[in-house]
Amino acid sequence: NTKPLTFDEVYNQSSPTNCTVYCGGLTNGLTEELMQKTFSPFGNIQEIRVFKDKGYAFVRFSTKESATHAIVAVHNTEINGQTVKCSWGKESGDPNNAQAAGQLRII
């Protein structure tokens, strides 16, 4: 399954309120600065959480569109010589509350 991801395909994989990107496969050289440098071209980053020992990070954008562009562009690319995987992260907070909050939001 190496066909490139499309914006619409990725966008529709997650809830309308999810702005969090999971980036995994970085076993060495994973830093907050590296994530900032890699993902900042796609939009305004609100939070970066790095799990060095596990080799992955979560990057939360201010919009779902930015997060979608980041997943499409960075998935299966090389960072520090390692091929990374990007996908949707879980929304922050308690999943039950996040679900309820998502349903109550008036757009």
Side-chain angles (χ1 to χ4, degrees):
N1 184 15
T2 54
K3 75 176 180 62
L5 299 169
T6 68
F7 181 89
D8 291 338
E9 184 185 17
V10 172
Y11 190 88
N12 293 325
Q13 283 170 355
S14 188
S15 80
T17 54
N18 194 356
C19 302
T20 304
V21 176
Y22 161 86
C23 180
L26 276 163
T27 46
N28 57 42
L30 174 58
T31 63
E32 194 172 314
E33 293 74 32
L34 181 65
M35 293 295 96
Q36 180 79 40
K37 197 174 75 178
T38 303
F39 288 99
S40 59
F42 303 104
N44 185 17
I45 295 173
Q46 296 198 312
E47 182 186 21
I48 297 174
R49 280 175 297 161
V50 171
F51 298 86
K52 270 198 182 86
D53 53 333
K54 299 199 169 62
Y56 62 80
F58 292 99
V59 180
R60 187 160 53 87
F61 286 91
S62 54
T63 68
K64 185 178 178 186
E65 288 74 15
S66 297
T68 307
H69 282 300
I71 293 172
V72 171
V74 181
H75 180 65
N76 274 339
T77 62
E78 276 198 11
I79 299 176
N80 276 4
Q82 302 158 92
T83 302
V84 296
K85 303 272 175 262
C86 291
S87 60
W88 287 107
K90 291 195 173 56
E91 295 185 65
S92 54
D94 178 343
N96 300 326
N97 289 345
Q99 207 55 45
Q103 290 161 351
L104 295 173
R105 213 159 127 221
I106 296 162
I107 297 169

